[in-house]
Amino acid sequence: MVKHMARPAPRIAIVGAGIGGLAAAALLLRQGVDVTVYEQAGRFARVGAGIQQSPNVMKVHRGLGIEDRLRKTAFAPRTSLNRDGITGETTNEFPLGKDVEERYGAPFLAMHRGDLHAALADLVPANRIELGRKLRSVDQDGTRVTLTFEDGSESVADAVVGADGVHSLIRDYVAGPESPTFTGRVAYRTTFPASLLRGVDIGMSRTKWWGPDRHIVIYYTTANCDEVYFVTSTPEKADWITKESWSTKGDLDELQNGFSAFHPDVRALLAAAPEVHKWGIFEREPLPVWTRGRVTLLGDSCHPMTPYMASGAAMALEDAVILARALEAFEPANVSRAFETYEATRKPRTSAVQTGSSANNWMRNATNPDWLYGYDAWSAPLEAPETAPA
C-alpha cells in the first residue's frame, strides 16, 4: 500500500475525472501530492451501465478503502456462466462467490458504473476537481507543463497525467494523432428495474450467451437484485457511424430482431427492456509510448480495449496504483523517470489484456484466469525502463 511521502512532492494535474483519473488523484493526495483534476463535463452523470470488478481490481478498492462500501451495494454473482445462445447449453461455468475469494483473496462483484464512480469521487475533495474544463492544448519545457483550456484559461503543473479516455487529446500530444478502426460491431446496453422482467429468471450468475456472430451479457447490478443490466455485441453495417458515445439511443425493435434466434430467456429479457443505448466498438493497436517527458497517460487514453474481457476499468485502476507507487519511489525532480517506470511496468500486462479482449473468447470454454485475477498492483514489482528518459 502506498505510504505518505514526507519529502516535497510535485504538483500534478490529472486530465479526466473518470474511474482511473479519480483513483490516481485519491492515491496521490494520500501521498501528499498537490493534485488538481480537470474534467470537461459540467457535472457527473449516472450513465446506465454495469461494470464487473474482478478480484485483481477489488484489491485496488481494498487499498483505496472502498471495498466494504462496494460489497454492501454490489451484486456478488455465484458463477461466471457461459451458455450457447441458441440451445442454452452450458459451455463453461467458473465458480465465483466464496470460491473465487478463497482462490484469489478478493471477491468478484458486479455493480452499476455510477455507484463505483461515486465511491471514487467521494475520495477526492470537491475543491480538487474542476468541472467544465475542456482541454485545448498541452505544452512543456524542462521543468513544467502548461495546460490551455477552451475558455482561454491556463494551468501550470510539474507533471500531467492524461486520463482523458478514448478520445484523449493528451495521447495525441504524447504519441501523435491516431485513428481508431471500427470493428464492424456495435454494443447495445441498458440498466432497468428487475420488476419489469415479469417473472423472467436471469439467475444468480453473471451470464454470457454466445451466438455464432453475436453475444449478450446479463447480470444484476445491486446486492438486492432490483436492477438488471445487459450489454451486447452485434455485427453492424460498415457505414454506421458513432463517436463511441454511450448516450446514443438504440432501436429496441432492431435489437430484438437481431436476437430473434436466441434462447427464449434472452428474448424475454430483451422484451422487458424499456430502452437501450448503442455505441460502436472500435479497435486500437497498443501504443508504442505512453510518456513524453513530464506527461504520461493512464487507462483508456493509452490502452483502450474492446469490452470482451470486462477489464478496461480494471486496467485503469491498476494503472493508478502503479503510477502512485512509481512516483513515490523517485525524487520529485525525477518525475519523468517515475513515469517511464510506470509505463515499463504496466505496458506488458495491458497489452496482453488488449490482445485477449480483441479475441473475444474469454471464459467461453474452460479457462484458467489466474494470470488476470491473481494480479496484485500493490505488490507487483516495478520494472525499470529499458531506455533512459528522452
Side-chain angles (χ1 to χ4, degrees):
M1 188 175 299
V2 177
K3 299 178 181 178
H4 180 79
M5 288 173 69
R7 57 182 180 268
R11 181 184 177 204
I12 293 182
I14 296 175
V15 180
I19 287 172
L22 289 175
L27 291 169
L28 294 177
L29 286 168
R30 185 184 299 179
Q31 293 177 194
V33 176
D34 182 5
V35 176
T36 303
V37 183
Y38 299 96
E39 167 58 45
Q40 68 176 357
R43 63 183 180 87
F44 293 142
R46 194 176 191 269
V47 178
I51 191 168
Q52 300 173 54
Q53 298 289 272
S54 48
N56 50 303
V57 74
M58 287 307 302
K59 293 173 185 174
V60 174
H61 298 318
R62 181 174 299 162
L64 284 165
I66 61 173
E67 180 186 12
D68 288 345
R69 172 173 171 168
L70 297 177
R71 281 180 182 265
K72 290 176 182 176
T73 59
F75 172 59
R78 293 174 183 169
T79 67
S80 171
L81 178 60
N82 294 266
R83 303 179 67 178
D84 183 280
I86 312 303
T87 67
E89 178 186 357
T90 296
T91 62
N92 181 35
E93 186 166 20
F94 186 82
L96 299 176
K98 292 182 179 178
D99 293 281
V100 82
E101 191 158 0
E102 289 175 359
R103 183 167 176 171
Y104 301 113
F108 186 114
L109 300 180
M111 63 196 71
H112 195 289
R113 180 177 288 265
D115 293 338
L116 173 58
H117 189 270
L120 292 165
D122 284 347
L123 297 176
V124 183
N127 64 359
R128 294 286 183 165
I129 303 174
E130 297 191 13
L131 299 173
R133 302 295 297 278
K134 185 175 182 180
L135 187 66
R136 185 170 71 194
S137 64
V138 185
D139 187 40
Q140 68 176 310
D141 56 27
T143 60
R144 66 180 190 171
V145 185
T146 301
L147 301 176
T148 303
F149 298 93
E150 291 289 349
D151 60 7
S153 63
E154 292 185 347
S155 180
V156 177
D158 297 305
V160 168
V161 177
D164 47 341
V166 294
H167 301 293
S168 172
L169 186 151
I170 297 180
R171 179 186 59 228
D172 292 347
Y173 170 80
V174 169
E178 178 226 21
S179 297
T181 301
F182 181 48
T183 62
R185 307 188 67 79
V186 297
Y188 292 87
R189 60 119 183 107
T190 194
T191 56
F192 61 93
S195 59
L196 297 180
L197 289 173
R198 302 181 184 89
V200 177
D201 183 11
I202 68 168
M204 297 302 289
S205 295
R206 183 244 52 155
T207 305
K208 185 168 184 176
W209 299 79
W210 299 81
D213 65 349
R214 64 199 63 207
H215 70 249
I216 181 170
V217 180
I218 304 167
Y219 54 82
Y220 292 111
T221 62
T222 57
N224 54 8
C225 301
D226 62 357
E227 184 177 64
V228 176
Y229 172 67
F230 71 77
V231 61
T232 75
S233 174
T234 62
E236 182 60 86
K237 55 185 178 292
D239 60 349
W240 190 84
I241 298 174
T242 181
K243 189 185 175 182
E244 293 174 289
S245 169
W246 285 29
S247 58
T248 302
K249 285 292 182 72
D251 186 299
L252 276 171
D253 289 337
E254 184 179 81
L255 169 61
Q256 291 167 4
N257 288 337
F259 284 83
S260 60
F262 265 58
H263 192 277
D265 287 356
V266 174
R267 301 202 304 269
L269 171 90
L270 296 178
E275 65 174 14
V276 289
H277 293 84
K278 175 182 181 180
W279 82 98
I281 300 174
F282 290 76
E283 197 98 66
R284 292 173 175 82
E285 293 296 324
L287 285 181
V289 62
W290 296 3
T291 300
R292 180 176 172 182
R294 291 175 169 265
V295 180
T296 198
L297 303 170
L298 182 148
D300 285 348
S301 67
C302 53
H303 49 69
M305 58 190 68
T306 58
Y308 304 140
M309 284 178 66
S311 289
M315 293 303 101
L317 286 157
E318 290 179 1
D319 286 351
V321 174
I322 298 298
L323 177 66
R325 289 178 55 205
L327 282 165
E328 185 183 40
F330 291 85
E331 294 295 330
N334 285 330
V335 165
S336 298
R337 188 69 172 176
F339 282 175
E340 294 208 357
T341 297
Y342 149 73
E343 176 181 337
T345 302
R346 290 299 297 156
K347 189 181 289 181
R349 178 166 169 82
T350 59
S351 295
V353 176
Q354 277 182 290
T355 300
S357 187
S358 294
N360 191 20
N361 56 16
W362 179 249
M363 288 290 184
R364 183 170 188 167
N365 301 111
T367 302
N368 183 346
D370 287 356
W371 71 272
L372 182 64
Y373 294 171
Y375 183 85
D376 187 346
W378 299 105
S379 59
L382 298 179
E383 302 293 339
E386 293 183 3
T387 59

